[in-house]
């Protein structure tokens, strides 16, 4: 009978018995080496995402006020001012009969 050749390419799970079973049944199998050097893909995967995130952060911080006192980085900074009326001339003895003043 003529030889029947079938080529199948599919992901195979990690099975240590599979090569033994294939050899026992006379199946010719192998895995080709990659054609290209993966260093470029590795470098791009390690360097490109942080550069994108840093660039987006820099752009947003510049658009939202440049990091100044009114920018995006001013979260939690109070803009309240302490206003003093100066000397009012009222002393504790003047309000000593008021119940609220005694509680404080």
């Amino acid at each position: 009978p003529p030889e029947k050749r079938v080529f199948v390419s599919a992901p195979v799970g990690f099975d240590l018995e599979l090569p033994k079973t294939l050899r026992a049944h006379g199946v010719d199998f192998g895995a080709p080496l990659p054609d290209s050097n993966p260093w470029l893909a590795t470098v791009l995967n390690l360097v490109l995402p942080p550069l994108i995130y840093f660039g987006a952060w820099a752009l947003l911080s510049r658009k939202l006020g440049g990091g100044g006192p009114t920018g995006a980085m001013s979260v939690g900074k109070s803009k309240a001012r302490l206003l003093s009326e100066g000397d009012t001339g009222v002393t504790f003895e003047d309000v000593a009969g008021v119940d609220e003043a005694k509680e404080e």
Side-chain angles (χ1 to χ4, degrees), residues 4 17-29:
K4 186 175 183 181
E17 296 298 318
L18 181 62
K20 295 175 188 174
T21 306
L22 292 174
R23 282 189 192 105
H25 288 87
V27 176
D28 186 25
F29 65 95

Side-chain angles (χ1 to χ4, degrees), residues 47-90:
V47 174
L48 199 58
L51 285 178
I52 291 172
Y53 291 134
F54 179 74
W57 177 77
L59 180 68
L60 287 175
S61 68
R62 194 175 318 132
K63 291 276 187 185
L64 295 176
T70 61
M73 303 306 282
S74 67
V75 175
K77 293 180 182 177
S78 175
K79 295 180 183 152
R81 301 284 183 247
L82 181 61
L83 299 176
S84 177
E85 294 181 16
D87 189 20
T88 60
V90 178

